[in-house]
Amino acid sequence: QVQLVESGGGSVQAGGSLRLSCVASGLSYNKYCMGWFRQAPGKEREGVATSYVTGITTYADSVKGRFTISRDNAENTLFLQMNSLKPEDTAMYYCAASLRYCSRAWRDFGYWGQGTQVTVSS
């Protein structure tokens, strides 16, 4: 049974930082593309960043230069370091896994965590 468990969300002021973690179990982690997605109330889920097993990463334009995705294949853990946070980054953040694709399209990902809330105040 695949499980993805996120942690690290919280409330911060604009300009602050948070580090999200996602621990994966029940899958061959080093074979999967891993991604972070977010969804704000009333908005569609959007891809924030992805990390492929080769080390290739992609980012949404809105977070480039502020967010960094990384993975520890030995510990089956995915991270998202978020710096210079803005109020528009407020959303539920989800970790997801895909065996076949590595895009930022949420429909390509078959496994999802429950999410962790990030709230950025101005």
Side-chain angles (χ1 to χ4, degrees):
Q1 180 182 358
V2 176
Q3 282 193 316
L4 303 175
V5 180
E6 304 98 332
S7 62
S11 297
V12 296
Q13 290 191 326
S17 298
L18 284 173
R19 189 190 195 207
L20 305 184
S21 299
C22 169
V23 179
S25 60
L27 74 170
S28 298
Y29 182 79
N30 61 1
K31 294 182 179 179
Y32 280 74
C33 172
M34 300 298 297
W36 287 101
F37 294 78
R38 66 186 181 187
Q39 188 166 19
K43 294 189 176 181
E44 188 174 357
R45 189 168 297 191
E46 67 167 329
V48 175
T50 61
S51 172
Y52 193 50
V53 294
T54 58
I56 294 175
T57 58
T58 72
Y59 295 91
D61 287 344
S62 59
V63 306
K64 280 181 182 176
R66 300 188 298 122
F67 291 10
T68 302
I69 188 171
S70 61
R71 60 191 294 164
D72 183 337
N73 288 336
E75 297 294 331
N76 288 9
T77 304
L78 183 73
F79 302 99
L80 185 68
Q81 178 66 45
M82 305 186 295
N83 298 329
S84 302
L85 282 161
K86 304 176 180 180
E88 51 263 43
D89 294 319
T90 295
M92 185 71 78
Y93 282 71
Y94 298 92
C95 170
S98 171
L99 185 59
R100 295 186 62 189
Y101 304 105
C102 205
S103 71
R104 290 196 305 280
W106 66 267
R107 292 178 179 84
D108 288 343
F109 286 73
Y111 298 107
W112 292 86
Q114 293 298 306
T116 186
Q117 178 68 37
V118 171
T119 302
V120 185
S121 58
S122 57

